[in-house]
Amino acid sequence: MPSPIELPDIPDAERTPLIEQLVALIETLAETTQRQAETIQQLRDEIAVLKGEKGKPTFKPSGMENQSDADKKEDSTGESTGKRAGSSKRSKTPDVPIHEECVIPPTEALPPGSRFKGYRDVVVQDLKIEAHNTRYRLEVWQTPDGKWLCGERPATLQGGHFGPRLRAYVLYQHHHCHVTQPLLREQLLEWGIDLSVGQIDALLSGHNEPFFAEKDQLLEVGLEVSSFITVDDSGARHQGRNGYVTQIGNDFFAWFSS
């Protein structure tokens, strides 16, 4: 199997756009060649097994190699992989959805007779977090008979003053990422979102009926489509009696929720 290509270190002063393009092309070709070599070896091993032969054996390092080389990295077992750190890289253009495209022409003026040869795509992943405040101007009308009519906020707001994405973020950070309420408030204030301690507590503890309804629906669907469900792993006695089980299908199946 061919050894990975190790590119020399190129000083920043010499990294012209043409050099950057050639380096990216070499790395892409090297990764493609490496994958092709691995696929070819796998096919050879499969053919050998079908012929009754043995595939290529895998030899583990003896552990006697000199480990003083700072460029060698170790795997999860502590053994040296023999590869330069960073030599096994993923593609620099990951398969992610594109939300915005920017066409950038060369900085130098194009001489007469230049021909357009397409684009060199560079995908840059970033995160956009910013405050987004909306003022809903609810129209107020009075009918000839004296009745007042007023517009209503979208149902997704559930009558509150915070949007669904903000509520989802607060719930996710607190319950899934274990971010405390003081740290969560400090973070939101830095982003320009004005939330008091009481408002954060209300977002975490109130207006959670849709989540409870979804949980109940999951249980009902699970009971309908599943032939075996375990609700707990406890075999404790209940009211001084044995025999209660936690697997559905038994006559003494029992469960509780809180």
Side-chain angles (χ1 to χ4, degrees):
M1 186 175 297
S3 59
I5 298 177
E6 296 187 5
L7 296 176
D9 294 331
I10 302 176
D12 295 338
E14 299 180 4
R15 285 183 172 269
T16 63
L18 178 59
I19 296 297
E20 291 282 357
Q21 186 174 0
L22 292 176
V23 169
L25 178 60
I26 292 173
E27 291 181 347
T28 301
L29 293 176
E31 293 176 359
T32 303
T33 303
Q34 185 73 15
R35 290 195 298 268
Q36 291 176 347
E38 294 175 355
T39 302
I40 292 174
Q41 185 60 49
Q42 293 176 358
L43 294 175
R44 287 177 175 175
D45 293 342
E46 292 178 2
I47 293 174
V49 172
L50 293 175
K51 290 183 177 181
E53 303 173 358
K54 293 184 178 180
K56 181 180 178 180
T58 301
F59 297 99
K60 296 183 177 180
S62 61
M64 301 298 294
E65 292 79 8
N66 185 8
Q67 298 297 325
S68 62
D69 188 358
D71 290 337
K72 290 184 178 181
K73 62 179 182 178
E74 295 182 351
D75 57 14
S76 59
T77 61
E79 297 181 347
S80 174
T81 60
K83 294 183 179 180
R84 178 175 57 86
S87 60
S88 178
K89 299 179 180 178
R90 298 196 309 168
S91 173
K92 289 183 172 56
T93 55
D95 186 14
V96 295
I98 304 300
H99 305 96
E100 182 181 0
E101 284 192 354
C102 297
V103 178
I104 303 177
T107 55
E108 299 181 7
L110 297 175
S114 300
R115 301 174 59 187
F116 179 68
K117 293 295 185 179
Y119 297 97
R120 177 196 168 202
D121 292 335
V122 178
V123 178
V124 177
Q125 298 186 78
D126 201 355
L127 183 64
K128 183 178 181 181
I129 298 179
E130 59 183 7
H132 184 81
N133 302 321
T134 303
R135 175 166 57 188
Y136 292 94
R137 311 202 70 183
L138 310 180
E139 295 184 358
V140 180
W141 294 76
Q142 185 178 17
T143 63
D145 58 357
K147 183 179 179 181
W148 292 88
L149 299 177
C150 182
E152 297 182 358
R153 282 171 285 184
T156 54
L157 298 179
Q158 298 181 2
H161 294 273
F162 304 103
R165 284 188 294 269
L166 176 58
R167 298 203 314 269
Y169 178 81
V170 170
L171 291 171
Y172 183 85
Q173 288 292 304
H174 183 71
H175 294 292
H176 186 79
C177 300
H178 308 291
V179 180
T180 62
Q181 295 189 27
L183 290 177
L184 189 57
R185 180 172 184 268
E186 180 181 352
Q187 183 185 63
L188 294 174
L189 289 176
E190 291 177 353
W191 291 345
I193 300 175
D194 188 7
L195 277 173
S196 66
V197 176
Q199 289 172 327
I200 292 180
D201 186 71
L203 287 176
L204 294 173
S205 59
H207 300 289
N208 292 326
E209 290 78 8
F211 297 102
F212 298 147
E214 182 179 1
K215 182 193 69 172
D216 295 338
Q217 292 175 0
L218 288 174
L219 176 60
E220 293 176 1
V221 174
L223 294 174
E224 291 176 357
V225 303
S226 301
S227 59
F228 185 87
I229 293 179
T230 298
V231 297
D232 195 4
D233 58 357
S234 173
R237 295 161 56 89
H238 179 65
Q239 294 183 353
R241 297 179 57 187
N242 296 325
Y244 288 94
V245 296
T246 56
Q247 285 79 28
I248 191 172
N250 188 282
D251 293 337
F252 295 97
F253 170 76
W255 71 281
F256 70 92
S257 66
S258 61

